[in-house]
Amino acid sequence: MLEILELIQDQALPYFDRFGTLAAFAPLVEADAARWPENVHFQEELFCLQVIRGDLEAAVKTADAAESAGRDDGRDWAVAVGRRVRQNAEAIRRDPPSGIRIMRAQAEQTRSHLGIAPDDPAT
């Protein structure tokens, strides 16, 4: 346990101090998505960041990258992620509030699947 505590103090806490805000975290997300455009998870993360920031035009473009990354990967789960991002982008393009509600519902479904309560302080 002491070893875990030391790792948290030495690595996790400084990381959270440095990147614990959206403004500080955003450049990491953008860099990962640019560095690994073939990674559907990084593209989805960038898409979500752009939606949160209100840059819906950029989010729709990123959805193209996510869909391509998933299709190029070829694994069923990656293709499904790419399609989900594309569907979210289309919903946001048609009606931004409705599209964001869809994304929130998906987040709740993921929380439920992972067994994370909505009021869990870790979320």
Side-chain angles (χ1 to χ4, degrees):
M1 292 303 276
L2 289 176
E3 195 174 321
I4 293 171
L5 178 60
E6 287 177 21
L7 287 171
I8 291 170
Q9 289 173 331
D10 292 344
Q11 294 180 21
L13 293 179
Y15 179 88
F16 293 138
D17 283 342
R18 183 170 176 203
F19 300 111
T21 66
L22 185 59
F25 188 63
L28 290 178
V29 172
E30 292 163 346
D32 285 345
R35 185 170 181 194
W36 292 290
E38 72 282 357
N39 186 307
V40 69
H41 288 300
F42 289 144
Q43 300 310 314
E44 181 180 33
E45 188 175 19
L46 179 60
F47 170 79
C48 291
L49 172 70
Q50 291 164 331
V51 170
I52 289 167
R53 291 173 133 183
D55 191 352
L56 302 183
E57 185 176 322
V60 169
K61 290 178 185 174
T62 299
D64 293 336
E67 187 174 37
S68 293
R71 190 176 45 249
D72 292 347
D73 180 290
R75 291 177 281 183
D76 290 344
W77 66 265
V79 172
V81 170
R83 284 187 188 143
R84 180 181 65 226
V85 174
R86 163 59 45 219
Q87 290 168 347
N88 289 343
E90 291 304 320
I92 285 170
R93 186 187 340 238
R94 284 190 306 274
D95 179 24
S98 175
I100 290 169
R101 280 193 299 276
I102 290 168
M103 291 178 67
R104 285 187 175 140
Q106 290 170 345
E108 289 305 316
Q109 182 180 13
T110 298
R111 281 188 185 110
S112 174
H113 178 74
L114 295 174
I116 300 170
D119 59 351
D120 190 329
T123 58

